[in-house]
Amino acid sequence: MKKMTINGIVAQVEDYWTVLEACRFYGIDIPTLCHHEGLSPGGICRLCIVEIGKGKRAKLVTSCNYPVEDGLVVRTHSERVIRARKMLVELLLARCPGSKTLQDLAAKMGVQRVRFKVKNENCILCGLCVRMCAEQMDAKAISFAGHGINRRVTPPFDIKSDVCRNCGACMYICPVCQLRCQGPEPPNVVCGACMNVEPVCLQDNEDVMCYLDTCGWCFKVKPSSLKKSGYGKEKIEEG
Amino acid sequence: MNRIKIKSPLDLEKLRQAILAKTDSQKTHVAICAGTGCLALGAREVITAFKEELKKRGLENEVEIRETGCPGFCEKGTIVVSYPEGIYYLQVQPGDVQEIVEKTLVEKEIVERLLYTDPVTNEKAIPEDEIPFYKHQMRLLIGNNIKIDPKNIEDYIALGGYNAVAKALSEMTPVEVIEEIKRANLRGRGGGGFPAGRKWETTRNAPGEPKYVIVNCDEGDPGAFMDRALMEGNPHSVIEGLIIGAYATGSHDGFIYVREEYPLAVENTSIALEQAREYGLLGRDIMGSGFDFDVKIFRGAGAFVSGESSALMSSLEGKVGAPQPKYTHTSIKGLWNKPTNLNNVETWANVPLIINKGADWFTSIGTEESKGTKIFSLVGNVNNTGLVEVPMGITLREIIYNIGGGVRDNKKFKAVQTGGPSGGCIPESLIDTAVDFDELTKLGSMMGSGGMIVMDEDTCMVDVAKYFVDFLVDESCGRCVPCREGLERMSEILSDICEGKGKEGDIELLEELSEVMKDTSLCALGRTAPNPVLTTIHYFKDEYDAHIKEKKCPAHVCKVLIEYYIAGEKCTGCLACLKACPEGAITGEKEKVHVIATEKCSKCGICYETCKFDAVLIR
Ligand SMILES: Cc1cc2nc3c(=O)[nH]c(=O)nc-3n(C[C@H](O)[C@H](O)[C@H](O)COP(=O)(O)O)c2cc1C
Ligand code: SF4
Ligand code: SF4
Ligand code: SF4
Ligand code: FES
Ligand code: FES
């Protein structure tokens, strides 16, 4: 067992855990996109970042592949973390606004605008399908090709591979293929429709449910309470 | 040649004496640079011409020709130095050879026109140390290049080569070697400036066998070639450092990772390894010490990002050379998950010097936290370009004006970019900054591998930022979101600004994006990529504002934002521009003021170049 601090809570964690596993064990929600329990870590989306260390030496690391260590001090929702996560979601959303997974994340994190030109790609290059195919289906029918902005997922030589068994695992795991979002139309790339769920908090906010993570409902009702967290900031600005 | 194995430090000393005995230092010999730069300028033909000319005169046994590595002044190639006098000829063409042989080698006279001429005073310089470009340098690493035929190990041994290996292996324990390097505070020359001694110690103490040592000669920086010059021109100095590092870390297998585009470096290094092996300087029981070590050479794919440590190692393992999402240092788990010590070419080349002369000597050079020298690749709008080796702590001004001879064409100095594509631009107000790892970082730039680009007043800083961002867009591996998406968006925004489509808020968005890229990218490429953008915004904000708010490019570089016009008072109505304009955009009659129809003008600039009366202007 190792002993570390997560958001001020002293945590006892298994030696072989990642910081993400430790946080989830303690019920702290950290958004991820390229991570899946059954697959090796991808380190691609960077959404799972947390802040470690203190003062000037504090830095952001990806929790999905950062091994736990004794005495580690982790903050999962610091201002710096939130700011970075929101920018990452904004970048991804500009690339791929048709993903419901991304729209939900945006809604939840209060990403209210996309300041980049919209691309409407069908893939965020999270690599889940590639790892799923190789690690769980033992097929390696698809892989990454190209580098930089030309990076894409494709079968070898762009021809359907004969090791592909049409199992559909790649589509099952894909955050873009699996759920499409019909909501948004440019210029407002962010739909936010999914937020219109019935409030789960107590009727008149005698208590709140968001001591671990915000559900997004409350800033419609009581924006001032959220000012500090950075959530829903744009919403507040836009009135 | 039949080589005797060197079995002890004494054997090495005997060999050195034997080599020195058979070479007559007063004998006439000619060193000709056969580095990549000079070869491109025709050094091969110059060498052939020398050989033929000497043969014709029956002098082939009197005068020795030595093909050497690059001494750094490539722009003035082919470099020919005549010894024993050390007469330094520049820009030698095959046609000059006959005269050099006749005048200098036979009659012992100087061919004035091939000497360095000061552009201001017109004074001639004869030996190397009178040439301003060299005079103000401190050439501990690169200075030997002109004295050595890299294909002949004896030249290196004659200069005291492999002494440091002898000393380390026979007089020092591995831990003592590490202590010496730590005391010398040798910092990595590959970019990060991490203390080499501490890295060696980590590798030494990390569990796991075998351990590896690697030379990083990937050098993907456009315009940088100091690693090439060392690897090509003095490969034994790097190999010697590597042997010492292997001994210190407990490694028996080394690799030299050379980029594909450096065939001559590969050739010279392969020959050097072979010769070192023949002498028993590599292989089993080196110099009778019981220490075994050998080195393989590996040709890299040549992408910029494959120089990053985890990418380089994955490429060595036969996989794609892309950065790996791992938080364990390669010094603990590197190549094939074994402890691996990776250092840059120049870092390794410093090691023999430190072992020979001691940490105290090394720390006497440089600043508080950066010791020794650094080789820079000085390029851009500066009179003398090339490789310059200077002590840490020298000011940018000294490099640019004393060594570089100032800004070209008497233009005004604007900025200097250091640190390669992800370095930063430093403005004129900071030109007296002392150059070392920490000072450059403080300014938002970095040492990087030592690129140094001088920019004059005609440079648009937004355009510069866009140039580097576009380079990085192409070189990003594309794995992680902040770097791949972020760089593309940066490029998009910068293009818009250069094309007059910049909006209020663009600068803030660039800054916000930069912070996140620095904070969250997987490897140092993405984490440093915003530097050119951030430094230009920081030091040249008004230029961004001019583009965005006034839709003007103050340096007249961004085509969309400029307009050619003819100043009525200067125009003589000579018809020259009118005839030259490919678009037919100029109207006018003889001896009457001409006019440019802006809507037809394609902004090719031909009229601007053509007008003898400077009547065509840009606004
Ligand atoms: C994108 C990128 C490219 C790099 N390219 C090189 C290179 O060409 N040569 C080099 O020595 N180091 C390069 N590095 C730095 C290496 O990762 C590593 O830090 C260095 O080789 C360590 O040696 P040093 O401590 O002697 O500097 C690069 C780093 C990054 C992030
Ligand atoms: S296809 Fe889907 S799962 Fe595969 S990389 Fe793209 S977004 Fe990820
Ligand atoms: S920072 Fe850029 S180069 Fe490095 S892993 Fe990410 S995408 Fe690849
Ligand atoms: S810039 Fe070119 S196109 Fe425009 S007026 Fe001059 S010559 Fe003609
Ligand atoms: S979940 Fe950790 S980087 Fe994507
Ligand atoms: S290659 Fe000859 S001086 Fe550089």
Side-chain angles (χ1 to χ4, degrees), chain B residues 27 73 82 93 143 151 171 228 242 283 297 322-323 437 446 455 508 531 540 543 569 606:
Chain B
K27 189 176 151 184
F73 210 3
S82 169
Q93 305 284 331
K151 292 189 171 70
E171 296 170 24
R228 184 182 77 193
L242 188 65
I297 190 160
F437 285 105
M446 56 185 197
M455 300 169 186
E508 292 70 22
N531 286 343
F540 301 94
E543 228 167 296
E569 68 282 7
I606 289 175

Side-chain angles (χ1 to χ4, degrees), chain B residues 91-118:
Chain B
Q91 288 175 309
V92 176
Q93 305 284 331
D96 302 325
V97 170
Q98 198 195 346
E99 193 181 346
I100 297 178
V101 172
E102 186 169 321
K103 281 251 182 81
T104 306
L105 301 188
V106 180
E107 294 166 18
K108 299 285 167 197
E109 274 173 27
I110 290 171
V111 184
E112 295 259 339
R113 64 182 178 86
L114 294 172
L115 292 175
Y116 175 86
T117 316
D118 192 295

Side-chain angles (χ1 to χ4, degrees), chain B residues 570-605:
Chain B
K570 283 190 183 169
C571 177
T572 59
C574 70
L575 296 175
C577 61
L578 187 150
K579 287 183 196 141
C581 176
E583 307 293 331
I586 304 179
T587 48
E589 284 170 39
K590 204 165 167 40
E591 282 164 33
K592 286 204 180 123
V593 173
H594 296 359
V595 181
I596 297 176
T598 306
E599 64 287 357
K600 280 196 193 163
C601 169
S602 66
K603 299 180 189 171
C604 68

